[in-house]
Amino acid sequence: MKKGDSLIDRLNFGSSLGLFEVFPLTNEAVLERLKEAVVKFDVDAVKEACNDALQQKIPPYEILTEGMAKGMEIIGEKYESGEFFLSELIMAGETMKEGMKIIEPYLQAEGKSSKGQVVLGTVEGDLHDIGKNIVASLLRGSGFGVADLGADVPPRRFLEETEKSNAQIVGMSALLTTTMVKMSDTMKALVEAGIRDRLKVILGGAPVNSAYATKIGADAAANDAIDGLAICKKWAGVS
Ligand code: B1M
């Protein structure tokens, strides 16, 4: 979208001509509009609301979690209740990715790789990569180098990339209860290769918690992307 196209730009223009008086939307209203646009798979409205939210100086991470991700929660509920099917999950994923393209550069404001190297991926059998992509952006934005292996990553790939890049941190994401076991398989691969002890391993994704991390011998489980970033920063000795 060009500057001048957003709803707020148009309202400001009308206001500057004295056509009407503008009462700016509250941050809550902008985020609500973004959430609704995701639920309607309205890509244009998502882009517009993302730009408006940035223009209102809403923090980029809040735009993701309090706007678009809230819409994704509703999509998940509608899927569970049988109102939506796989095709709607796919459309929702594509819709949020369009919004992510606008927000991501603001998450990656710094982008230098000096705080350490992270190998990151969604585990084998699991195609959910939106949350993992947010984690990658936040890490890069805080100065970590990130080898993002994408989604559906088998244990062997985590191992190969960790050895090749000499990474200090391995991060695994899973959104399905059925693919959590691949986190355990990846841990075993790291142990068998003899490199587990020189690494920190962090898990993330809705079905994963600290108890599961402890059970499979990982170091931590993050509640959300910000928590994941905080844990990695602590390991890297930075605040
Ligand atoms: Co799927 N799906 N899906 N889906 N999907 C869920 C996860 C589900 C909860 C929906 C539901 O039933 N309510 C359900 C899982 C149930 C379960 O296992 N308990 C489900 C299902 C069942 C399925 C299929 C099996 C459906 C089918 O085929 N019948 C299928 C599986 C395909 C596969 O993976 N093999 C499937 C497919 C898909 C799509 C591919 C179509 C699409 C994903 C598109 C994509 O990612 N490119 C999709 C979507 C969009 C969803 C929902 C609606 C939204 C997920 C999302 O992106 N959320 C989801 C419902 C829901 O989550 N409520 C659902 C927004 C994102 C920002 O949040 O990913 O949680 P999230 O990430 C968070 C945190 O978890 C955390 O940080 C992020 C931001 O705070 N985090 C980390 C994540 N990884 C981290 C790693 C870290 C740290 C933090 O460190 C390493």
Side-chain angles (χ1 to χ4, degrees), residues 172 183-192 196 201 216-218:
M172 290 184 259
M183 293 177 152
S184 175
D185 291 350
T186 305
M187 287 304 303
K188 283 179 195 147
L190 297 172
V191 171
E192 279 164 20
R196 196 272 169 262
V201 182
I216 68 167

Side-chain angles (χ1 to χ4, degrees), residues 11-30:
L11 286 173
N12 283 339
F13 182 64
S15 162
S16 70
L17 294 178
L19 297 177
F20 48 76
E21 202 175 332
V22 173
F23 298 97
L25 292 175
T26 61
N27 288 357
E28 289 72 25
V30 173

Side-chain angles (χ1 to χ4, degrees), residues 147-168:
D148 185 349
L149 302 180
D152 192 16
V153 180
R156 175 183 46 77
R157 273 295 292 133
F158 277 105
L159 178 60
E160 280 168 4
E161 190 58 37
T162 307
E163 288 180 323
K164 189 177 125 204
S165 64
N166 209 16
Q168 295 86 38

Side-chain angles (χ1 to χ4, degrees), residues 67-238:
M68 285 194 277
K70 292 284 178 215
M72 294 302 239
E73 281 174 25
I74 295 175
I75 301 281
E77 285 161 16
K78 286 180 183 284
Y79 175 80
E80 269 176 41
S81 70
E83 187 183 336
F84 279 178
F85 298 95
L86 180 60
S87 51
E88 277 90 358
L89 291 186
I90 294 172
M91 285 194 288
E94 293 306 309
T95 306
M96 180 155 173
K97 283 192 168 181
E98 289 302 315
M100 281 283 290
K101 285 184 196 163
I102 293 172
I103 305 300
E104 230 167 4
Y106 295 86
L107 288 176
Q108 295 186 13
E110 292 174 34
K112 343 178 230 1
S113 53
S114 58
K115 300 216 169 68
Q117 183 67 21
V118 184
V119 170
L120 188 66
T122 302
V123 295
E124 187 170 23
D126 201 322
L127 301 176
H128 298 85
D129 64 355
I130 295 174
K132 182 268 300 166
N133 293 346
I134 295 173
V135 177
S137 296
L138 289 178
L139 287 170
R140 288 193 181 111
S142 291
F144 286 88
V146 180
D148 185 349
L149 302 180
D152 192 16
V153 180
R156 175 183 46 77
R157 273 295 292 133
F158 277 105
L159 178 60
E160 280 168 4
E161 190 58 37
T162 307
E163 288 180 323
K164 189 177 125 204
S165 64
N166 209 16
Q168 295 86 38
I169 299 174
V170 172
M172 290 184 259
S173 178
L175 264 281
L176 298 173
T177 44
T178 49
T179 55
M180 286 165 66
V181 65
K182 292 294 174 182
M183 293 177 152
S184 175
D185 291 350
T186 305
M187 287 304 303
K188 283 179 195 147
L190 297 172
V191 171
E192 279 164 20
I195 62 169
R196 196 272 169 262
D197 290 344
R198 69 162 179 80
L199 296 167
K200 289 287 190 186
V201 182
I202 179 169
L203 312 179
V208 180
N209 57 28
S210 305
Y212 184 68
T214 306
K215 185 177 159 198
I216 68 167
D219 296 293
N223 297 323
D224 56 31
I226 284 282
D227 188 33
L229 173 65
I231 291 168
C232 292
K233 280 171 119 178
K234 194 170 136 217
W235 287 340
V238 286

